Amino acid sequence: MKPKIELRGLTKVFVKKTGSVTALEDISLNVGEGEFVCLVGPSGCGKTTLLRILAGLETQSAGELKIHAEQSARPLQSMVFQEKGILPWMTVRDNVSFGLEMRKAPKSVIAEQTAYYLEKTGLSKFAHLYPSELSGGMKQRVSIARAFANDPEILLMDEPFAALDEQNKFILQEELLSIWSETRKTVLFITHSIDEALMLSDRILLMSAQPGKIIQEVRIDRPRPRKIEEIRKDPELAGQFVDIWKHLQQEVQKTRK
């Protein structure tokens, strides 16, 4: 698989008045073109910092980062947060079209892309509403629709469904995979949910407690879509669930010592 993202020895140290904190240490990995990769690790292990570096919002302290961009007018990456990414003074439609408007795409493209992703995420009849009038699940649909409408090469997703109830989470996971299967974006997705990682990803990268390191890779060799009941009944997936759970338990215990 052609690499889209390459990291070699990437380290991030935050310097404070009271001393320095190493958030990430010696991160080396490849993410292939069109691959869906989940990052799983204890709180504070540097997952979000890693995504922020990839998004250009932070700079690494050491190591090498390469993103193999296409020679096109498409943006390189878009980032989806937990309910923090949409603009409260804009309607749903204006939020979804925002990225396209900012890069001055042709009006016909803006109209077509916006309408398409409003429809794909079930937001067409809510296009005139403002974020204050939406549920948490609908706000996340807006964030996902905007990210895909902007047509980035890479999607960086930071626990986008963590604040949702289980029913909305499953619906949005299925919608995300449906859109991803059409577009084959390269996705790096942070989650604390083992079920979510098993349902969505090609690979799961397990991170250590701070300083964050990638200490294990889990490949998910199952066709999509994957249902939660299938994950629980499949002996191999169930075994992977237990292994990941044990890893997280061990790393969380390290943070308490």
Side-chain angles (χ1 to χ4, degrees):
M1 185 181 294
K2 178 183 175 183
K4 187 69 174 178
I5 301 169
E6 293 184 82
L7 305 179
R8 295 292 175 267
L10 190 137
T11 296
K12 177 64 178 179
V13 179
F14 289 101
V15 179
K16 302 181 179 180
K17 291 181 179 179
T18 54
S20 61
V21 176
T22 302
L24 298 168
E25 186 173 72
D26 195 26
I27 300 287
S28 295
L29 69 95
N30 287 351
V31 178
E33 181 92 43
E35 193 175 17
F36 199 126
V37 175
C38 282
L39 287 170
V40 175
S43 296
C45 74
K47 300 184 297 296
T48 296
T49 298
L50 179 57
L51 254 61
R52 287 177 62 83
I53 291 171
L54 291 170
L57 302 175
E58 299 276 359
T59 303
Q60 70 266 32
S61 304
E64 185 178 10
L65 161 62
K66 287 184 181 179
I67 298 179
H68 299 278
E70 297 176 5
Q71 299 300 313
S72 70
R74 293 166 57 201
L76 184 56
Q77 69 274 95
S78 290
M79 195 159 177
V80 180
F81 302 92
Q82 291 185 47
E83 286 193 49
K84 296 177 183 176
I86 59 177
L87 302 171
W89 60 88
M90 287 186 173
T91 64
V92 168
R93 177 179 284 105
D94 289 341
N95 264 287
V96 173
S97 66
F98 180 74
L100 293 164
E101 296 275 4
M102 288 298 292
R103 60 186 177 93
K104 302 187 187 312
K107 291 189 179 299
S108 60
V109 172
I110 294 173
E112 182 180 349
Q113 287 285 94
T114 300
Y116 179 77
Y117 284 105
L118 284 171
E119 178 66 29
K120 286 294 291 183
T121 52
L123 290 169
S124 295
K125 64 182 179 181
F126 307 106
H128 63 288
L129 298 181
Y130 287 86
S132 60
E133 302 173 276
L134 305 178
S135 67
M138 290 175 70
K139 289 176 185 176
Q140 287 307 84
R141 288 182 180 183
V142 176
S143 292
I144 291 168
R146 184 174 68 184
F148 277 100
N150 200 28
D151 195 25
E153 297 183 35
I154 299 168
L155 268 177
L156 305 169
M157 309 189 77
D158 189 1
E159 296 189 78
F161 308 141
L164 304 180
D165 60 74
E166 289 300 302
Q167 185 175 1
N168 269 304
K169 187 181 294 187
F170 290 144
I171 290 170
L172 284 176
Q173 286 166 350
E174 290 178 352
E175 288 178 352
L176 172 61
L177 280 180
S178 174
I179 299 172
W180 174 82
S181 67
E182 292 180 6
T183 63
R184 290 291 169 172
K185 302 289 184 192
T186 303
V187 178
L188 204 55
F189 188 107
I190 292 175
T191 181
H192 279 101
S193 168
I194 303 172
D195 283 331
E196 186 167 67
L198 290 170
M199 288 176 71
L200 296 177
S201 61
D202 297 303
R203 283 189 295 150
I204 302 171
L205 302 178
L206 304 183
M207 294 186 67
S208 68
Q210 191 183 83
K213 304 176 184 178
I214 295 173
I215 58 177
Q216 189 178 340
E217 172 189 297
V218 179
R219 290 191 174 271
I220 312 302
D221 186 21
R222 290 291 185 277
R224 297 181 183 88
R226 305 169 192 145
K227 302 293 185 182
I228 187 65
E229 57 269 22
E230 296 170 356
I231 291 172
R232 296 296 170 82
K233 290 178 181 179
D234 185 301
E236 183 177 341
L237 291 177
Q240 288 175 321
F241 180 100
V242 172
D243 289 343
I244 296 169
W245 183 83
K246 288 180 179 178
H247 160 79
L248 287 174
Q249 186 182 46
Q250 290 169 359
E251 295 303 316
V252 168
Q253 290 299 325
K254 290 178 185 178
T255 67
R256 297 184 175 182
K257 293 180 181 179

